[in-house]
Amino acid sequence: MEKNNSHIIICVGRQLGSGGHDIARMLALDFNAKYYDRELLNLAAKESGFSEKFFEQNDEQRGIFRSLFHLHATHVSDNNMYQNNFSQESLFKFQSDAIMKAASEGSCVFVGRCADYVLRAKPNVVNVFITASMEFRAQQIMAKQQLDMAQARRFIEQREAKRAAYYNYYTGKKWGAAESYDLCIDTSVLGLQATEKLIADFIRKRFML
């Protein structure tokens, strides 16, 4: 990749089983960028004083506030200034602050967690959505979760309903809708590696790298 005066930020939305995580990792290597997926939970935990386990339990779910009533004392540090001011929006803000901080430090690839919305005002941001046919995705989930086809489809539908609700709630946009992204692409057409190369070429042309 040619040198550029400003680092780039790649935000990857993905359907479950589409290979979005793998493509995001390949993009991070391709552009010498840091990769953030579950790593964001650790960053948010450090910034907020909550334990990483607490963020994991509420990852990309709208129902965060309800779980706070069952919060165990070990999930919050003794010196946490937010102990008496819990809210669903507060936890989203902790994670958003972690995303902003990471993006300010260099080139990054973010997977999910509304990063495209959080970084909407920053320059050199490209938003990509990874999709695939249901058959392709179900096959991936069947192999990983040891489910049959019907179970894999239900698993995908249930998880994606929560993911969509989270995204739609915090962004005011529609998860997976083409107008919410710069590029939407189906990995079941070309496969993961060829899809990543196509996305990388799009990014290079977009930013004249």
Side-chain angles (χ1 to χ4, degrees), residues 12 32 35 45 55 75 77-78 89 103 107 113 117 123 136 174 179-180 183 188 193 199 206:
V12 178
N32 193 29
Y35 171 88
F55 278 86
H75 286 177
S77 65
D78 292 336
E89 283 65 30
S107 294
R113 296 171 182 84
Y117 176 77
F136 178 93
K174 186 177 180 180
E179 60 266 25
S180 297
L183 178 67
S188 59
Q193 292 186 339
I199 296 171
R206 167 79 180 271

PDB file of all heavy atoms in Angstrom, residues 12 32 35 45 55 75 77-78 89 103 107 113 117 123 136 174 179-180 183 188 193 199 206:
ATOM      1  N   VAL A  12     -16.679  -2.567   9.387  1.00  0.00           N
ATOM      2  CA  VAL A  12     -17.262  -3.743   8.740  1.00  0.00           C
ATOM      3  C   VAL A  12     -18.509  -4.204   9.484  1.00  0.00           C
ATOM      4  O   VAL A  12     -18.433  -4.636  10.636  1.00  0.00           O
ATOM      5  CB  VAL A  12     -16.239  -4.901   8.676  1.00  0.00           C
ATOM      6  CG1 VAL A  12     -16.872  -6.140   8.034  1.00  0.00           C
ATOM      7  CG2 VAL A  12     -14.990  -4.478   7.915  1.00  0.00           C
ATOM      8  N   ASN A  32      -2.236  -2.745   6.990  1.00  0.00           N
ATOM      9  CA  ASN A  32      -1.387  -2.523   8.166  1.00  0.00           C
ATOM     10  C   ASN A  32      -2.149  -1.753   9.245  1.00  0.00           C
ATOM     11  O   ASN A  32      -1.667  -0.775   9.815  1.00  0.00           O
ATOM     12  CB  ASN A  32      -0.113  -1.754   7.767  1.00  0.00           C
ATOM     13  CG  ASN A  32       0.933  -1.769   8.868  1.00  0.00           C
ATOM     14  OD1 ASN A  32       1.005  -2.705   9.666  1.00  0.00           O
ATOM     15  ND2 ASN A  32       1.751  -0.731   8.929  1.00  0.00           N
ATOM     16  N   TYR A  35      -6.817  -4.349  14.292  1.00  0.00           N
ATOM     17  CA  TYR A  35      -8.107  -5.028  14.175  1.00  0.00           C
ATOM     18  C   TYR A  35      -8.833  -4.962  15.514  1.00  0.00           C
ATOM     19  O   TYR A  35      -8.269  -5.296  16.551  1.00  0.00           O
ATOM     20  CB  TYR A  35      -7.876  -6.490  13.769  1.00  0.00           C
ATOM     21  CG  TYR A  35      -9.110  -7.360  13.808  1.00  0.00           C
ATOM     22  CD1 TYR A  35      -9.948  -7.457  12.704  1.00  0.00           C
ATOM     23  CD2 TYR A  35      -9.422  -8.115  14.942  1.00  0.00           C
ATOM     24  CE1 TYR A  35     -11.075  -8.273  12.726  1.00  0.00           C
ATOM     25  CE2 TYR A  35     -10.544  -8.938  14.970  1.00  0.00           C
ATOM     26  CZ  TYR A  35     -11.365  -9.003  13.860  1.00  0.00           C
ATOM     27  OH  TYR A  35     -12.471  -9.808  13.892  1.00  0.00           O
ATOM     28  N   ALA A  45     -13.941  -1.573  28.765  1.00  0.00           N
ATOM     29  CA  ALA A  45     -13.886  -1.931  30.183  1.00  0.00           C
ATOM     30  C   ALA A  45     -12.844  -1.086  30.909  1.00  0.00           C
ATOM     31  O   ALA A  45     -13.074  -0.592  32.017  1.00  0.00           O
ATOM     32  CB  ALA A  45     -13.559  -3.412  30.326  1.00  0.00           C
ATOM     33  N   PHE A  55     -19.176  -6.370  29.728  1.00  0.00           N
ATOM     34  CA  PHE A  55     -19.406  -5.926  28.360  1.00  0.00           C
ATOM     35  C   PHE A  55     -19.695  -7.115  27.450  1.00  0.00           C
ATOM     36  O   PHE A  55     -20.508  -7.022  26.533  1.00  0.00           O
ATOM     37  CB  PHE A  55     -18.209  -5.130  27.839  1.00  0.00           C
ATOM     38  CG  PHE A  55     -18.222  -3.697  28.274  1.00  0.00           C
ATOM     39  CD1 PHE A  55     -17.680  -3.317  29.487  1.00  0.00           C
ATOM     40  CD2 PHE A  55     -18.795  -2.716  27.481  1.00  0.00           C
ATOM     41  CE1 PHE A  55     -17.690  -1.999  29.905  1.00  0.00           C
ATOM     42  CE2 PHE A  55     -18.828  -1.391  27.887  1.00  0.00           C
ATOM     43  CZ  PHE A  55     -18.275  -1.028  29.100  1.00  0.00           C
ATOM     44  N   HIS A  75     -18.249  -7.016  38.932  1.00  0.00           N
ATOM     45  CA  HIS A  75     -18.250  -6.490  37.583  1.00  0.00           C
ATOM     46  C   HIS A  75     -17.891  -5.012  37.543  1.00  0.00           C
ATOM     47  O   HIS A  75     -17.713  -4.447  36.481  1.00  0.00           O
ATOM     48  CB  HIS A  75     -19.621  -6.681  36.930  1.00  0.00           C
ATOM     49  CG  HIS A  75     -19.871  -8.104  36.551  1.00  0.00           C
ATOM     50  ND1 HIS A  75     -21.062  -8.508  36.014  1.00  0.00           N
ATOM     51  CD2 HIS A  75     -19.098  -9.208  36.636  1.00  0.00           C
ATOM     52  CE1 HIS A  75     -21.023  -9.806  35.765  1.00  0.00           C
ATOM     53  NE2 HIS A  75     -19.837 -10.238  36.150  1.00  0.00           N
ATOM     54  N   SER A  77     -15.456  -1.875  39.263  1.00  0.00           N
ATOM     55  CA  SER A  77     -14.310  -1.581  40.120  1.00  0.00           C
ATOM     56  C   SER A  77     -14.739  -0.689  41.273  1.00  0.00           C
ATOM     57  O   SER A  77     -15.725   0.039  41.186  1.00  0.00           O
ATOM     58  CB  SER A  77     -13.214  -0.879  39.304  1.00  0.00           C
ATOM     59  OG  SER A  77     -13.656   0.382  38.853  1.00  0.00           O
ATOM     60  N   ASP A  78     -13.966  -0.723  42.359  1.00  0.00           N
ATOM     61  CA  ASP A  78     -14.331   0.022  43.561  1.00  0.00           C
ATOM     62  C   ASP A  78     -14.354   1.532  43.343  1.00  0.00           C
ATOM     63  O   ASP A  78     -15.108   2.245  43.980  1.00  0.00           O
ATOM     64  CB  ASP A  78     -13.345  -0.302  44.692  1.00  0.00           C
ATOM     65  CG  ASP A  78     -13.492  -1.737  45.153  1.00  0.00           C
ATOM     66  OD1 ASP A  78     -14.579  -2.314  44.956  1.00  0.00           O
ATOM     67  OD2 ASP A  78     -12.517  -2.279  45.702  1.00  0.00           O
ATOM     68  N   GLU A  89     -27.512   3.748  27.752  1.00  0.00           N
ATOM     69  CA  GLU A  89     -26.796   4.711  26.935  1.00  0.00           C
ATOM     70  C   GLU A  89     -25.377   4.949  27.457  1.00  0.00           C
ATOM     71  O   GLU A  89     -24.456   5.223  26.682  1.00  0.00           O
ATOM     72  CB  GLU A  89     -27.567   6.033  26.878  1.00  0.00           C
ATOM     73  CG  GLU A  89     -28.760   6.020  25.937  1.00  0.00           C
ATOM     74  CD  GLU A  89     -29.866   5.067  26.373  1.00  0.00           C
ATOM     75  OE1 GLU A  89     -30.022   4.857  27.594  1.00  0.00           O
ATOM     76  OE2 GLU A  89     -30.555   4.527  25.501  1.00  0.00           O
ATOM     77  N   ALA A 103      -9.548   4.979  16.955  1.00  0.00           N
ATOM     78  CA  ALA A 103      -9.519   5.553  15.614  1.00  0.00           C
ATOM     79  C   ALA A 103      -8.586   6.756  15.529  1.00  0.00           C
ATOM     80  O   ALA A 103      -8.034   7.042  14.462  1.00  0.00           O
ATOM     81  CB  ALA A 103     -10.925   5.959  15.191  1.00  0.00           C
ATOM     82  N   SER A 107      -4.554   3.705  11.765  1.00  0.00           N
ATOM     83  CA  SER A 107      -5.464   2.959  10.903  1.00  0.00           C
ATOM     84  C   SER A 107      -6.085   1.791  11.663  1.00  0.00           C
ATOM     85  O   SER A 107      -5.390   1.085  12.394  1.00  0.00           O
ATOM     86  CB  SER A 107      -4.715   2.438   9.683  1.00  0.00           C
ATOM     87  OG  SER A 107      -4.278   3.509   8.867  1.00  0.00           O
ATOM     88  N   ARG A 113     -20.604  -3.130  16.161  1.00  0.00           N
ATOM     89  CA  ARG A 113     -20.705  -2.228  17.306  1.00  0.00           C
ATOM     90  C   ARG A 113     -20.941  -0.771  16.921  1.00  0.00           C
ATOM     91  O   ARG A 113     -20.469   0.143  17.586  1.00  0.00           O
ATOM     92  CB  ARG A 113     -19.473  -2.379  18.205  1.00  0.00           C
ATOM     93  CG  ARG A 113     -19.430  -3.788  18.789  1.00  0.00           C
ATOM     94  CD  ARG A 113     -18.146  -4.129  19.512  1.00  0.00           C
ATOM     95  NE  ARG A 113     -18.250  -5.510  19.960  1.00  0.00           N
ATOM     96  CZ  ARG A 113     -17.970  -6.569  19.201  1.00  0.00           C
ATOM     97  NH1 ARG A 113     -17.555  -6.401  17.960  1.00  0.00           N
ATOM     98  NH2 ARG A 113     -18.117  -7.785  19.660  1.00  0.00           N
ATOM     99  N   TYR A 117     -21.395   4.499  12.658  1.00  0.00           N
ATOM    100  CA  TYR A 117     -22.155   5.641  13.162  1.00  0.00           C
ATOM    101  C   TYR A 117     -21.298   6.482  14.114  1.00  0.00           C
ATOM    102  O   TYR A 117     -21.292   7.713  14.033  1.00  0.00           O
ATOM    103  CB  TYR A 117     -23.400   5.141  13.893  1.00  0.00           C
ATOM    104  CG  TYR A 117     -24.207   6.241  14.536  1.00  0.00           C
ATOM    105  CD1 TYR A 117     -25.030   7.057  13.771  1.00  0.00           C
ATOM    106  CD2 TYR A 117     -24.144   6.473  15.912  1.00  0.00           C
ATOM    107  CE1 TYR A 117     -25.772   8.082  14.355  1.00  0.00           C
ATOM    108  CE2 TYR A 117     -24.870   7.484  16.502  1.00  0.00           C
ATOM    109  CZ  TYR A 117     -25.686   8.292  15.716  1.00  0.00           C
ATOM    110  OH  TYR A 117     -26.404   9.308  16.292  1.00  0.00           O
ATOM    111  N   PRO A 123     -12.909  11.882   8.815  1.00  0.00           N
ATOM    112  CA  PRO A 123     -12.523  11.679   7.413  1.00  0.00           C
ATOM    113  C   PRO A 123     -11.881  10.310   7.225  1.00  0.00           C
ATOM    114  O   PRO A 123     -11.522   9.643   8.200  1.00  0.00           O
ATOM    115  CB  PRO A 123     -11.492  12.796   7.189  1.00  0.00           C
ATOM    116  CG  PRO A 123     -10.879  13.000   8.548  1.00  0.00           C
ATOM    117  CD  PRO A 123     -12.001  12.793   9.533  1.00  0.00           C
ATOM    118  N   PHE A 136     -25.326 -20.435   2.393  1.00  0.00           N
ATOM    119  CA  PHE A 136     -23.897 -20.310   2.683  1.00  0.00           C
ATOM    120  C   PHE A 136     -23.673 -20.075   4.170  1.00  0.00           C
ATOM    121  O   PHE A 136     -22.848 -20.728   4.810  1.00  0.00           O
ATOM    122  CB  PHE A 136     -23.307 -19.147   1.870  1.00  0.00           C
ATOM    123  CG  PHE A 136     -21.843 -18.892   2.116  1.00  0.00           C
ATOM    124  CD1 PHE A 136     -20.875 -19.470   1.317  1.00  0.00           C
ATOM    125  CD2 PHE A 136     -21.428 -18.039   3.148  1.00  0.00           C
ATOM    126  CE1 PHE A 136     -19.526 -19.228   1.529  1.00  0.00           C
ATOM    127  CE2 PHE A 136     -20.086 -17.790   3.372  1.00  0.00           C
ATOM    128  CZ  PHE A 136     -19.125 -18.388   2.562  1.00  0.00           C
ATOM    129  N   LYS A 174     -30.987   1.696   9.269  1.00  0.00           N
ATOM    130  CA  LYS A 174     -31.420   0.315   9.171  1.00  0.00           C
ATOM    131  C   LYS A 174     -30.231  -0.597   8.925  1.00  0.00           C
ATOM    132  O   LYS A 174     -29.509  -0.445   7.939  1.00  0.00           O
ATOM    133  CB  LYS A 174     -32.446   0.146   8.047  1.00  0.00           C
ATOM    134  CG  LYS A 174     -33.042  -1.259   7.980  1.00  0.00           C
ATOM    135  CD  LYS A 174     -34.111  -1.357   6.910  1.00  0.00           C
ATOM    136  CE  LYS A 174     -34.696  -2.769   6.869  1.00  0.00           C
ATOM    137  NZ  LYS A 174     -35.741  -2.891   5.831  1.00  0.00           N
ATOM    138  N   GLU A 179     -28.156   1.794   1.771  1.00  0.00           N
ATOM    139  CA  GLU A 179     -27.899   3.229   1.929  1.00  0.00           C
ATOM    140  C   GLU A 179     -27.110   3.566   3.197  1.00  0.00           C
ATOM    141  O   GLU A 179     -26.634   4.691   3.358  1.00  0.00           O
ATOM    142  CB  GLU A 179     -29.215   4.017   1.920  1.00  0.00           C
ATOM    143  CG  GLU A 179     -30.190   3.652   3.024  1.00  0.00           C
ATOM    144  CD  GLU A 179     -31.206   2.608   2.588  1.00  0.00           C
ATOM    145  OE1 GLU A 179     -30.903   1.839   1.666  1.00  0.00           O
ATOM    146  OE2 GLU A 179     -32.301   2.572   3.190  1.00  0.00           O
ATOM    147  N   SER A 180     -26.968   2.601   4.093  1.00  0.00           N
ATOM    148  CA  SER A 180     -26.213   2.837   5.325  1.00  0.00           C
ATOM    149  C   SER A 180     -24.711   2.610   5.155  1.00  0.00           C
ATOM    150  O   SER A 180     -23.935   2.879   6.073  1.00  0.00           O
ATOM    151  CB  SER A 180     -26.734   1.924   6.447  1.00  0.00           C
ATOM    152  OG  SER A 180     -28.081   2.216   6.757  1.00  0.00           O
ATOM    153  N   LEU A 183     -20.257   0.254   0.637  1.00  0.00           N
ATOM    154  CA  LEU A 183     -20.159  -0.938  -0.202  1.00  0.00           C
ATOM    155  C   LEU A 183     -20.811  -2.118   0.505  1.00  0.00           C
ATOM    156  O   LEU A 183     -20.532  -2.380   1.676  1.00  0.00           O
ATOM    157  CB  LEU A 183     -18.682  -1.260  -0.471  1.00  0.00           C
ATOM    158  CG  LEU A 183     -18.391  -2.518  -1.295  1.00  0.00           C
ATOM    159  CD1 LEU A 183     -18.887  -2.337  -2.737  1.00  0.00           C
ATOM    160  CD2 LEU A 183     -16.893  -2.835  -1.288  1.00  0.00           C
ATOM    161  N   SER A 188     -20.726 -15.146  -0.780  1.00  0.00           N
ATOM    162  CA  SER A 188     -21.038 -16.447  -1.349  1.00  0.00           C
ATOM    163  C   SER A 188     -20.870 -16.463  -2.871  1.00  0.00           C
ATOM    164  O   SER A 188     -20.907 -17.523  -3.491  1.00  0.00           O
ATOM    165  CB  SER A 188     -22.456 -16.881  -0.967  1.00  0.00           C
ATOM    166  OG  SER A 188     -23.428 -15.950  -1.410  1.00  0.00           O
ATOM    167  N   GLN A 193     -11.550 -14.814   0.072  1.00  0.00           N
ATOM    168  CA  GLN A 193     -10.316 -14.171  -0.363  1.00  0.00           C
ATOM    169  C   GLN A 193     -10.546 -13.217  -1.528  1.00  0.00           C
ATOM    170  O   GLN A 193     -10.036 -12.084  -1.536  1.00  0.00           O
ATOM    171  CB  GLN A 193      -9.263 -15.218  -0.714  1.00  0.00           C
ATOM    172  CG  GLN A 193      -8.764 -15.998   0.497  1.00  0.00           C
ATOM    173  CD  GLN A 193      -7.618 -16.927   0.150  1.00  0.00           C
ATOM    174  OE1 GLN A 193      -7.430 -17.299  -1.002  1.00  0.00           O
ATOM    175  NE2 GLN A 193      -6.846 -17.307   1.160  1.00  0.00           N
ATOM    176  N   ILE A 199     -12.784  -5.682  -2.063  1.00  0.00           N
ATOM    177  CA  ILE A 199     -13.006  -4.601  -1.094  1.00  0.00           C
ATOM    178  C   ILE A 199     -11.751  -3.750  -0.949  1.00  0.00           C
ATOM    179  O   ILE A 199     -11.820  -2.516  -0.918  1.00  0.00           O
ATOM    180  CB  ILE A 199     -13.417  -5.172   0.280  1.00  0.00           C
ATOM    181  CG1 ILE A 199     -14.759  -5.883   0.174  1.00  0.00           C
ATOM    182  CG2 ILE A 199     -13.498  -4.056   1.326  1.00  0.00           C
ATOM    183  CD1 ILE A 199     -15.134  -6.668   1.425  1.00  0.00           C
ATOM    184  N   ARG A 206     -10.951   4.480  -3.577  1.00  0.00           N
ATOM    185  CA  ARG A 206     -11.727   5.491  -2.849  1.00  0.00           C
ATOM    186  C   ARG A 206     -10.811   6.563  -2.240  1.00  0.00           C
ATOM    187  O   ARG A 206     -11.103   7.747  -2.297  1.00  0.00           O
ATOM    188  CB  ARG A 206     -12.529   4.786  -1.748  1.00  0.00           C
ATOM    189  CG  ARG A 206     -13.146   5.705  -0.684  1.00  0.00           C
ATOM    190  CD  ARG A 206     -14.414   6.379  -1.172  1.00  0.00           C
ATOM    191  NE  ARG A 206     -14.952   7.222  -0.146  1.00  0.00           N
ATOM    192  CZ  ARG A 206     -15.816   6.804   0.789  1.00  0.00           C
ATOM    193  NH1 ARG A 206     -16.239   5.551   0.789  1.00  0.00           N
ATOM    194  NH2 ARG A 206     -16.269   7.646   1.701  1.00  0.00           N
TER     195      ARG A 206
END
